[in-house]
Amino acid sequence: MADKIISVRNLVKNYGNFEAVKGISFDVYENEIFGLLGPNGAGKSTTLEIIETLRSKTAGVILVAGYDLDKDSETIKGLIGVQLQTSGYYPGLNLLQLIDLFAGLYNEEVDGMALLRSVNLEEKAKSQYKELSGGQKQRFSVATTLINKPKVIFLDEPTTGLDPQARRNLWELIKIINDQGATIIITTHYMDEAEYLCDRIAIIDSGKIVAMDTPDNLIDELVASGFERPREVKQANLEDVFIHLTGKSLRED
Ligand code: ADP
Ligand code: MG
C-alpha cells in the first residue's frame, strides 16, 4: 500500500462539556479518495476542520505528510486545499479576479483562465460568484482549492443540493483531480456517491468511527452477516430513470 499522507491518532474534540469527537484514529494513504460518512452532527466537519488547521483540538496527534499539526501547522497549510465557505467570496469581484486574489494570498502564480477551464467555467470568468448556479458554485469552490497545487484536498459535502447531472459532473471533476495525484478527503450524505468515488470510507457516528474499509468490503461484510434487502432489487433505480429522461449533459447546474 502507498504511504500514509494523513495520520490521526486518538483525536478528541470537546465543545464545553460536549464531546463531539471521542478519540478517533484513522490513516489516509497517498492518492486515495477517502470518505467520511455519518449522520448530521456525527463530527465529520469538526474532524476535517481540525486537520485543516482551522479548529483547535482537545487531544490527539495529527500528522499531515509527516508534519505534526502541533508544530508545523503553517507548513501543513501550504500542502492542503480547503473548500472555502461560500460567504468568504468578495461580492464585487468576478471569478477571474477572485482567483487572482487567492493566488496572491497563497503567493502562487496561477493561470486563472486555465484553472477555470479545468472546472468548465471558462465562459463565466467575468461573472460574479452570486450569478452562478449551484453546480457552478461548487465547481468554482473546487477550483479555488487547487490554486496552491495541494497534495491533499478537503471537500465537505461538495454535492449537497445539486441536481443529478451537476452531481455526476462534480464526481468526474473530483476523479480527474485525484488522477492528477491529489489525495481527496470528502464527506457526503449520498451513499451512491461514496460507493462510486471512495477507495475507502470511515463511518462515524456520535463522534466514534464505527466502521472503516473499502465500500466493497463493507457491503460484503454486511451480506456475510446474513443481511438481505427486504425487496427484490431492480435493475435500475429512480435516479437512472431521471438521468435517462433528462440526459447527462449539464444545463443550468
Ligand atoms: P457533522 O459535520 O458530522 O454534521 P459537526 O462536526 O459539524 O458534525 O458537529 C458535531 C457536533 O458538534 C454537533 O453536535 C454540533 O452541534 C457540535 N458543534 C459543532 N461545532 C460546534 C461549536 N462551534 N460549538 C459547539 N458545538 C459545536
Ligand atoms: Mg458537517
Side-chain angles (χ1 to χ4, degrees):
M1 195 162 251
D3 290 336
K4 282 178 203 169
I5 191 143
I6 291 177
S7 157
V8 174
R9 286 293 169 276
N10 305 316
L11 177 65
V12 175
K13 175 65 179 182
N14 297 338
Y15 294 111
N17 292 331
F18 176 68
E19 271 193 295
V21 177
K22 298 172 181 160
I24 64 173
S25 299
F26 62 93
D27 295 317
V28 178
Y29 296 97
E30 217 158 297
N31 207 222
E32 262 192 318
I33 302 184
F34 185 84
L36 210 51
L37 311 184
N40 281 327
K44 304 179 297 295
S45 297
T46 298
T47 301
L48 289 195
E49 287 171 17
I50 290 169
I51 305 171
E52 291 163 358
T53 76
L54 301 177
R55 238 181 243 236
S56 66
K57 59 184 164 59
T58 304
V61 177
I62 294 174
L63 302 179
V64 178
Y67 294 99
D68 187 331
L69 191 88
D70 290 331
K71 295 178 199 138
D72 296 310
S73 67
E74 286 307 311
T75 311
I76 291 174
K77 275 180 202 168
L79 298 173
I80 64 174
V82 176
Q83 224 182 342
L84 292 166
Q85 294 289 333
T86 53
S87 56
Y89 297 129
Y90 292 82
L93 303 181
N94 67 38
L95 300 191
L96 207 50
Q97 290 167 329
L98 283 171
I99 286 175
D100 282 342
L101 176 72
F102 290 131
L105 295 176
Y106 281 122
N107 215 358
E108 289 273 347
E109 290 279 329
V110 171
D111 180 345
M113 273 320 259
L115 184 60
L116 287 174
R117 200 177 311 127
S118 73
V119 296
N120 207 358
L121 283 175
E122 208 176 2
E123 281 152 35
K124 298 288 177 183
K126 298 284 161 60
S127 302
Q128 293 184 5
Y129 179 80
K130 63 169 187 279
E131 296 164 342
L132 303 180
S133 68
Q136 290 166 344
K137 282 179 175 154
Q138 288 302 55
R139 293 209 302 279
F140 180 70
S141 76
V142 169
T144 65
T145 70
L146 302 175
I147 289 170
N148 61 333
K149 302 172 189 76
K151 287 171 82 73
V152 187
I153 293 166
F154 295 87
L155 303 171
D156 198 353
E157 295 189 36
T159 63
T160 293
L162 299 186
D163 73 32
Q165 283 91 353
R167 207 156 68 90
R168 280 158 199 246
N169 185 265
L170 204 62
W171 294 357
E172 295 319 312
L173 178 59
I174 291 168
K175 285 255 192 205
I176 289 168
I177 294 166
N178 179 245
D179 286 344
Q180 289 167 353
T183 304
I184 313 256
I185 303 187
I186 183 170
T187 74
T188 178
H189 289 302
Y190 300 108
M191 295 305 121
D192 60 337
E193 180 166 305
E195 212 176 323
Y196 179 75
L197 282 178
C198 296
D199 297 302
R200 284 188 312 133
I201 61 179
I203 300 178
I204 176 167
D205 192 14
S206 302
K208 285 186 180 155
I209 291 179
V210 294
M212 183 159 52
D213 210 328
T214 64
D216 245 14
N217 286 347
L218 289 169
I219 293 165
D220 288 349
E221 214 171 282
L222 179 65
V223 171
S225 76
F227 177 88
E228 276 181 48
R229 279 203 182 167
R231 282 194 299 162
E232 192 184 326
V233 182
K234 295 187 184 178
Q235 295 301 307
N237 62 23
L238 191 57
E239 176 144 330
D240 296 323
V241 173
F242 182 93
I243 294 284
H244 181 73
L245 291 174
T246 62
K248 282 206 164 116
S249 62
L250 281 170
R251 323 281 173 75
E252 267 303 293
D253 64 326

